[in-house]
Amino acid sequence: MDKILIIGACGQLGTELTQRLRELKGTENVIASDLRDEPIKLIADGPYEKLDIMDKDAFHAILGRYNIKQVYHLAAVLSAKGEQNPQFAWKLNMESLLLVLEAGRDRLNKIYWPSSIAVFGPDTPKENTPQNTVMSPNTVYGISKLAGERWCEYYFEKYGVDVRSLRYPGLIGYKALPGGGTTDYAVDIFHKAIAGDDYECFLSENTMLPMMYMDDAVKATIDLMETDAANVKVRSSYNLAAMSFTPKEIASEIQKHYPDFKITYKPDFRQKIADSWPGSIDDSAARNNWGWQHNFGLKELTNTMIANLKDTIVFD
């Protein structure tokens, strides 16, 4: 059993991925790491290391201490936060990836690194965006993810590093708060509705974006990492899709549960980011190469989020 290190384990995706991998692989075989002094409650049941991934010596010390053979490198500055400090976002996103890829040359069996729909841009086809297409990202997050895809493919082709990647759409889950992305409204809106508050959305009502429930994202990640290497035909990053919807559409679905819920729209700087991204994604390569299938659409997403959040929301 390969020992696994998850970098960025306290984040929105990292939390649920850590939990699921521990269920599958054994708690003692999955080491969580993040910048926090202590892990969040959801992953406090197993080994945890405080780690600044920019610290090469600390990273390699953990690899050696646990004899790590697989790394899931999730730490990154996301789209909205990245625009507030682009130089730092580039430095963290790029240098940390290269540090992990270098470790893959001589001491790791597999690496997972997430990309994003942010690699696309205003010149990319908006509907059914192909696996291979024009990419013209206009955020530092998107630029760093596109460069990262090229580095992943380079390390696979030049050095045989088994690195695998998915281009996530917006991810929606209830176990941990989102981390500063442009699609975060689709999590925040549930918290407001259940608390009985109105919601002011930072995107316009008809902004169509690809989205995915967290369970599907975790499933896709593990499915890709578990499949035979021969099935991984794309070594940059796979398109991944489940559903697409607008703020108006998700609000309408929520209103079936909370008829008095009201939403207003006040687009901010994140609107320009969203406008540069696709409305829907062609992920046929992932479905054909390694059998990807999603389980959640908008109705299932809404039902699940409300069922799991309604007992946790603090009312004013």
Side-chain angles (χ1 to χ4, degrees):
M1 179 71 68
D2 281 357
K3 291 289 185 73
I4 296 169
L5 174 66
I6 300 179
I7 302 167
C10 293
Q12 187 188 18
L13 173 62
T15 301
E16 301 201 33
L17 185 59
T18 300
Q19 289 179 309
R20 183 61 180 144
L21 282 170
R22 284 178 171 173
E23 291 172 3
L24 295 171
K25 307 292 186 180
T27 299
E28 70 282 358
N29 292 316
V30 180
I31 291 80
S33 70
D34 211 302
L35 283 168
R36 299 169 181 257
D37 290 322
E38 300 289 339
I40 60 176
K41 285 183 179 179
L42 291 170
I43 59 169
D45 61 326
Y48 177 82
E49 294 282 345
K50 181 179 180 180
L51 173 65
D52 178 353
I53 186 52
M54 302 298 282
D55 185 336
K56 179 179 179 180
D57 291 340
F59 171 57
H60 278 272
I62 292 171
L63 295 184
R65 186 178 309 131
Y66 294 94
N67 192 26
I68 299 294
K69 293 301 180 184
Q70 294 188 30
V71 168
Y72 289 68
H73 175 31
L74 309 180
V77 180
L78 302 183
S79 58
K81 284 189 175 180
E83 292 307 284
Q84 295 166 7
N85 193 343
Q87 289 82 10
F88 174 72
W90 173 261
K91 181 178 178 65
L92 174 66
N93 293 359
M94 281 287 84
E95 291 186 13
S96 65
L97 171 60
L98 288 169
L99 179 62
V100 174
L101 288 173
E102 274 295 298
R105 292 179 62 178
D106 57 9
R107 64 189 306 170
L108 300 176
N109 294 334
K110 285 184 197 173
I111 295 169
Y112 178 78
W113 173 81
S115 189
S116 163
I117 58 170
V119 296
F120 303 120
D123 301 319
T124 303
K126 297 291 187 187
E127 302 303 321
N128 258 353
T129 303
Q131 174 66 47
N132 298 306
T133 187
V134 174
M135 297 165 126
S136 53
N138 56 8
T139 65
V140 67
Y141 178 63
I143 293 166
S144 70
K145 287 299 183 184
L146 179 53
E149 288 190 12
R150 304 267 57 85
W151 276 118
C152 288
E153 190 171 61
Y154 181 90
Y155 268 76
F156 170 73
E157 291 180 348
K158 298 293 184 180
Y159 307 121
V161 175
D162 188 355
V163 55
R164 308 178 184 196
S165 178
L166 296 169
R167 291 173 184 153
Y168 290 123
L171 300 184
I172 304 168
Y174 65 87
K175 292 184 180 179
L177 294 174
T182 300
T183 55
D184 286 357
Y185 87 86
V187 178
D188 297 337
I189 193 171
F190 285 102
H191 289 260
K192 293 292 187 182
I194 294 169
D197 298 330
D198 297 341
Y199 180 62
E200 183 178 89
C201 185
F202 54 75
L203 298 181
S204 63
E205 64 178 355
N206 293 317
T207 303
M208 180 76 72
L209 289 171
M211 299 284 190
M212 180 173 288
Y213 182 55
M214 190 62 72
D215 280 13
D216 275 341
V218 169
K219 174 180 178 293
T221 304
I222 296 174
D223 284 354
L224 175 61
M225 285 293 277
E226 292 293 303
T227 195
D228 189 274
N231 296 328
V232 185
K233 311 292 187 184
V234 175
R235 288 294 179 163
S236 52
S237 191
Y238 274 100
N239 275 5
L240 193 70
M243 66 189 102
S244 291
F245 56 76
T246 66
K248 183 177 181 180
E249 288 173 339
I250 193 173
S252 178
E253 197 66 35
I254 290 171
Q255 285 162 349
K256 295 176 183 177
H257 300 260
Y258 298 94
D260 295 331
F261 173 65
K262 293 182 175 60
I263 184 171
T264 56
Y265 303 92
K266 189 177 180 181
D268 64 13
F269 73 98
R270 288 166 284 196
Q271 183 64 52
K272 185 177 180 181
I273 298 174
D275 288 342
S276 73
W277 291 352
S280 59
I281 300 289
D282 176 4
D283 63 351
S284 55
R287 295 178 186 271
N288 293 334
N289 290 176
W290 43 274
W292 159 241
Q293 291 184 328
H294 70 281
N295 294 320
F296 290 82
L298 178 56
K299 179 180 179 180
E300 293 82 8
L301 162 73
T302 303
N303 292 343
T304 304
M305 288 291 288
I306 290 173
N308 286 283
L309 281 174
K310 64 182 181 182
D311 295 329
T312 68
I313 299 297
V314 176
F315 291 84
D316 295 331

